[in-house]
Amino acid sequence: MPQHGPEKINWLTAQFASDESEAAFQAFVFRRNLKNNIWGAMVGLALFMLYAFSDFIDATDPEEIIMIRIVTGVIALAIMSVLFSKRFVKHHDVVTAVFITVVASAMNLIIWRQPMLDNTYYIGLIQGFILFGLLLRLSFVSMITAAAVCLAGFALATFTKPDIAAAALQFVNLSGVAIICVVGVYLLQGYQRTDFLKALTIENQNQQLSALLEDVRRDHERKLAAMNMLVHFVKTPLHQINGFSEILMSNFVGEEKAASDKDCVESARYIKDATSNLSNSVNRLLTYHRLDEIEHQNEFDNISIEEQLGDFSDMLDANISVTIEGSAGATDTNLAAMRTLFESLAVYYNEMAAQPLTIEVEMSIEGKDVTRVTIHDNCDVLLHEKFLEDTKPLTKISNYLTSAGSEMQMTLRTVARAMEVVGGGFEHRPQAAGNIFELKFLNHNKTMPGQAPNSLAASDQLPAHAG
């Protein structure tokens, strides 16, 4: 069967060919159409009852005709009253069409009860078509059904009269007005759905624009935080380099040349350490912020998580013992972000490898979509509060200007940020001896329109402490 796009409108019914699109449209116009149908029906019924004064002019038996109006009014009110029920209010289109049919049938009954066609009752039907065509918001199918029933009843009421010529003239006039009104409803239904599609397009564009503005705002905050952090953590090493360089110069060429070689070596060591700290701070900050560019590349590869863990094992120092168990799937994400994730994690462990460490990695597939990588280590216990602090995005850091030390803690922060770009969650649990880190990935991701690649469902999401 041919697939209809959401913009396809069925020319026969003036409705969307797609059931999902039609349901969305009906939900969009529900309250507005319900209000129009109720007020339009009440206005039409009021006019139907007020025209009782004309019965004393046109009707041969005014009392009978007025009684027909009263009974019809009671029945019509009873029909519309069902809209107070939640069970029927969603079918207000059908209920309103039944209301029109009852009122029109009452008019046909009044015409049938007259002996001749020289009265003006059929003008009431013409007015009814125009009034209901303007005020009500019926579907094309409901309107054409009500109009067909009305015309059929009018034909039965008029062609049984002796004056066939008058019956034919009135039928042609009434049919012409009915056709115009039905065509108007058909066109209106098409215009409504076209406006609905335009509204959806505008809403989608607004959402995209809001997302872009939010992304620009976050990018500005990240860059501002990076500048502030860089200034803070560059000032100290530069001050150390400058100060100890002057000490060295004075030891070699100044009047206080008698300083020991030990002092010179110590000053040189301070310079080396400060330079190393400066280099590490700059490189890690650049690595962290390159993830912003990666996030917007929209380049995806099917990446084996097991292979990435193998590369992670190769990046660890020789005095770190690592075992990898279990099996894992693949995920569609950016390869550069995935590599940054495991490279930063390896740097984190290598920095603590002054003494032998043991790392156990377990892989498991949960259901058909999620892979969990659990890392057990015997490192010093990392308090959970410290983990949350070390994985905050730079946009949320409030104390980077007062942080102790000459280097900013960026490794876990970069892991958390890379995990966000890759798609998934990053979690930590301290143990009595050691720590547990958990990485959660989506397998064989299929990105839906408007959804971030590899985003986890709310029920599966682990806290990702990166922005």
Side-chain angles (χ1 to χ4, degrees):
M1 291 182 62
Q3 296 296 319
H4 299 287
E7 73 285 350
K8 179 74 173 181
I9 296 179
N10 189 318
W11 66 270
L12 189 61
T13 63
Q15 295 181 344
F16 285 116
S18 167
D19 293 338
E20 293 81 5
S21 298
E22 182 63 25
F25 169 77
Q26 293 298 337
F28 180 75
V29 300
F30 175 78
R31 292 188 178 276
R32 182 178 64 190
N33 286 0
L34 174 63
K35 180 180 178 180
N36 284 2
N37 287 346
I38 291 176
W39 283 105
M42 292 301 99
V43 170
L45 182 60
L47 291 177
F48 175 79
M49 300 301 295
L50 287 175
Y51 268 105
F53 75 88
S54 66
D55 295 334
F56 294 100
I57 301 174
D58 290 334
T60 56
D61 188 355
E63 290 79 7
E64 178 187 20
I65 304 306
I66 291 174
M67 183 57 63
I68 292 175
R69 291 183 186 273
I70 293 174
V71 173
T72 301
V74 172
I75 296 174
L77 285 174
I79 292 172
M80 296 302 293
S81 67
V82 303
L83 295 181
F84 289 100
S85 169
K86 292 182 179 179
R87 179 180 179 182
F88 292 99
V89 71
K90 61 183 179 181
H91 303 296
H92 66 88
D93 183 85
V94 176
V95 172
T96 308
V98 172
F99 165 87
I100 294 176
T101 303
V102 169
V103 175
S105 298
M107 288 298 301
N108 288 330
L109 178 61
I110 292 173
I111 294 172
W112 180 70
R113 293 297 298 165
Q114 303 308 304
M116 300 298 293
L117 294 177
D118 54 355
N119 51 56
T120 59
Y121 281 117
Y122 94 100
I123 301 298
L125 289 174
I126 293 177
Q127 292 175 340
F129 273 123
I130 297 174
L131 179 69
F132 290 137
L134 290 175
L135 296 183
L136 299 182
R137 290 297 178 266
L138 291 182
S139 67
F140 171 68
V141 174
S142 296
M143 188 65 182
I144 197 172
T145 301
V149 172
C150 176
L151 289 174
F154 183 77
L156 291 174
T158 56
F159 283 101
T160 55
K161 299 292 188 290
D163 193 350
I164 300 298
L169 178 63
Q170 291 183 11
F171 183 80
V172 169
N173 290 337
L174 183 62
S175 298
V177 173
I179 291 172
I180 293 174
C181 292
V182 169
V183 170
V185 170
Y186 179 89
L187 295 176
L188 179 61
Q189 291 299 308
Y191 293 150
Q192 277 191 312
R193 284 161 175 79
T194 301
D195 289 341
F196 170 67
L197 292 176
K198 292 179 180 178
L200 286 184
T201 301
I202 293 173
E203 181 181 0
N204 184 51
Q205 290 174 343
N206 288 338
Q207 290 177 350
Q208 293 177 350
L209 180 60
S210 298
L212 289 174
L213 291 175
E214 176 64 17
D215 188 64
V216 170
R217 183 191 65 80
R218 292 176 63 203
D219 187 66
H220 174 72
E221 289 179 345
R222 286 194 184 109
K223 297 303 185 288
L224 182 61
M227 289 286 292
N228 290 334
M229 191 199 78
L230 190 59
V231 168
H232 175 65
F233 285 96
V234 165
K235 282 167 55 178
T236 299
L238 288 179
H239 178 73
Q240 292 174 338
I241 292 171
N242 183 60
F244 289 110
S245 295
E246 289 182 357
I247 294 175
L248 280 177
M249 292 297 295
S250 64
N251 287 339
F252 286 119
V253 298
E255 294 181 358
E256 301 177 358
K257 192 175 178 182
S260 66
D261 292 341
K262 182 179 179 181
D263 292 335
C264 294
V265 171
E266 188 69 15
S267 297
R269 185 179 65 80
Y270 278 121
I271 294 175
K272 179 181 180 299
D273 290 344
T275 305
S276 177
N277 292 336
L278 176 59
S279 177
N280 288 338
S281 294
V282 172
N283 289 335
R284 291 175 185 177
L285 187 62
L286 290 175
T287 299
Y288 180 86
H289 281 285
R290 284 195 187 101
L291 291 169
D292 292 345
E293 300 176 5
I294 293 173
E295 188 177 28
H296 297 95
Q297 288 177 356
N298 293 324
E299 296 178 0
F300 306 109
D301 301 292
N302 191 259
I303 301 170
S304 169
I305 298 175
E306 293 184 21
E307 292 181 2
Q308 294 301 311
L309 284 172
D311 294 340
F312 163 72
S313 176
D314 294 337
M315 288 184 283
L316 295 174
D317 289 346
N319 59 342
I320 299 179
S321 174
V322 58
T323 58
I324 301 178
E325 298 179 352
S327 61
T331 180
D332 292 335
T333 190
N334 188 285
L335 179 59
M338 183 70 83
R339 286 176 175 172
T340 301
L341 189 159
F342 285 107
E343 286 172 0
S344 299
L345 195 60
V347 170
Y348 170 76
Y349 280 114
N350 288 337
E351 288 180 341
M352 295 183 293
Q355 57 184 0
L357 298 178
T358 300
I359 299 176
E360 297 178 358
V361 181
E362 297 179 2
M363 296 177 290
S364 61
I365 298 178
E366 300 178 359
K368 62 178 182 178
D369 295 326
V370 179
T371 292
R372 185 186 295 271
V373 176
T374 305
I375 303 174
H376 301 257
D377 63 48
N378 65 343
C379 302
D380 294 337
V381 176
L382 176 66
L383 296 179
H384 191 62
E385 292 76 13
K386 185 68 167 59
F387 169 79
L388 296 178
E389 185 68 24
D390 288 348
T391 55
K392 280 184 180 179
L394 288 181
T395 54
K396 297 180 181 178
I397 290 179
S398 59
N399 64 342
Y400 51 79
L401 294 179
T402 58
S403 296
S406 57
E407 289 186 68
M408 189 67 182
Q409 298 300 320
M410 292 297 296
T411 51
L412 290 181
R413 194 184 318 278
T414 304
V415 171
R417 179 73 178 105
M419 195 69 214
E420 182 186 15
V421 176
V422 168
F426 181 39
E427 191 176 63
H428 164 263
R429 295 196 303 273
Q431 302 297 299
N435 306 276
I436 293 179
F437 293 102
E438 287 189 347
L439 307 173
K440 198 170 185 181
F441 303 90
L442 285 184
N443 299 334
H444 309 294
N445 178 63
K446 294 180 175 61
T447 304
M448 300 299 292
Q451 179 186 16
N454 291 327
S455 59
L456 289 175
S459 59
D460 294 330
Q461 181 71 56
L462 286 173
H465 304 288

